[in-house]
Amino acid sequence: MPSKPFSARTLDPNALKSFAHPLRLSLYELLDEHGPSTATRLAGLLGQNTGATSYHLRELARHGMIEEAPELGRGKEKYWRITPGGFSYGEAPPGDEETANALEALLDDLVRRRGAELARWREEEAATPEEWVRASGLGRRSLRLTAGETARMRDEVFEVLERYRAMADRRDGESSGEPDPSLGHVVVHFDVLPVGLTGGERPAADG
């Protein structure tokens, strides 16, 4: 597993096992996209009852994935938001099959989410404001590098991503709660995949 992206914390085995739950993953994704929200609103978006979403939100908070946003709530209304700083999945301890299975589920979800986000962008691109289309980009490079060069490239890109993540976190921390119309939810995919090093044949394409 690659090293964690700089200041991101690494999930411990208990957090990994707790996070590898379909509803918790969905709740986290919604908070990531829409920003702070309540259990009631999230329940409506997911077709769940508020009791279920409240329980799973508390579980996410117990492991530091999300946190309360007390400045946004009124009365008994409780808002939740993504914990700033990001996280890394890390590795399962040797011999810990339960955590290894949880990690596999999370990585499979990561791949699924990548594909879903790319497909969504292809659907939305035609109706997206021109300034955002010009700011977007899809790219792929196939390079011949050593393992050391690959690691250095990965770390340099993560340095850039970390700088912008920290800027976005600071902005969120200073927000009055009113949405800024100049801001958009921007997803950045970055994968470094050394393929073909196992000696196996490339899977055949369908059709």
Side-chain angles (χ1 to χ4, degrees):
M1 199 71 173
S3 62
K4 65 181 181 178
F6 300 93
S7 69
R9 76 182 184 92
T10 300
L11 301 186
D12 63 31
N14 288 330
L16 276 172
K17 288 182 283 190
S18 178
F19 195 33
H21 183 289
L23 184 53
R24 290 173 199 166
L25 288 168
S26 296
L27 288 167
Y28 189 91
E29 289 179 1
L30 285 173
L31 288 173
D32 182 42
E33 178 175 357
H34 299 293
S37 192
T38 64
T40 300
R41 179 169 181 252
L42 293 168
L45 291 172
L46 292 171
Q48 297 284 331
N49 64 70
T50 303
T53 55
S54 293
Y55 169 75
H56 289 295
L57 287 166
R58 290 195 301 272
E59 282 297 297
L60 287 171
R62 188 163 71 89
H63 292 287
M65 306 300 298
I66 66 173
E67 63 184 18
E68 288 186 44
E71 70 277 9
L72 300 180
R74 297 176 182 174
K76 294 184 178 180
E77 189 178 52
K78 183 182 294 185
Y79 276 78
W80 299 94
R81 63 184 167 211
I82 297 295
T83 302
F87 65 91
S88 168
Y89 290 147
E91 299 181 357
D96 187 341
E97 185 175 351
E98 185 178 2
T99 300
N101 290 337
L103 180 57
E104 287 296 313
L106 288 169
L107 292 177
D108 287 344
D109 181 74
L110 182 66
V111 172
R112 175 200 62 77
R113 187 176 180 186
R114 291 276 203 279
E117 287 169 339
L118 289 170
R120 177 180 177 181
W121 167 242
R122 291 294 297 137
E123 292 177 358
E124 295 181 352
E125 182 179 4
T128 297
E130 181 62 25
E131 64 174 326
W132 284 102
V133 174
R134 291 197 303 269
S136 70
L138 293 176
R140 178 184 182 277
R141 300 293 185 271
S142 179
L143 310 174
R144 295 287 184 182
L145 302 172
T146 67
E149 290 166 343
T150 301
R152 286 196 299 274
M153 178 189 66
R154 176 204 63 203
D155 291 347
E156 288 174 14
V157 174
F158 273 134
E159 285 178 3
V160 174
L161 294 176
E162 173 62 17
R163 188 166 72 245
Y164 280 89
R165 185 211 56 76
M167 180 183 70
D169 283 351
R170 285 195 301 272
R171 180 184 288 136
D172 289 343
E174 297 166 357
S175 173
S176 63
E178 293 297 322
D180 183 340
S182 71
L183 298 179
H185 178 226
V186 176
V187 174
V188 182
H189 293 161
F190 174 63
D191 305 297
V192 180
L193 309 173
V195 298
L197 301 181
T198 62
E201 293 185 1
R202 180 174 180 174
D206 292 339

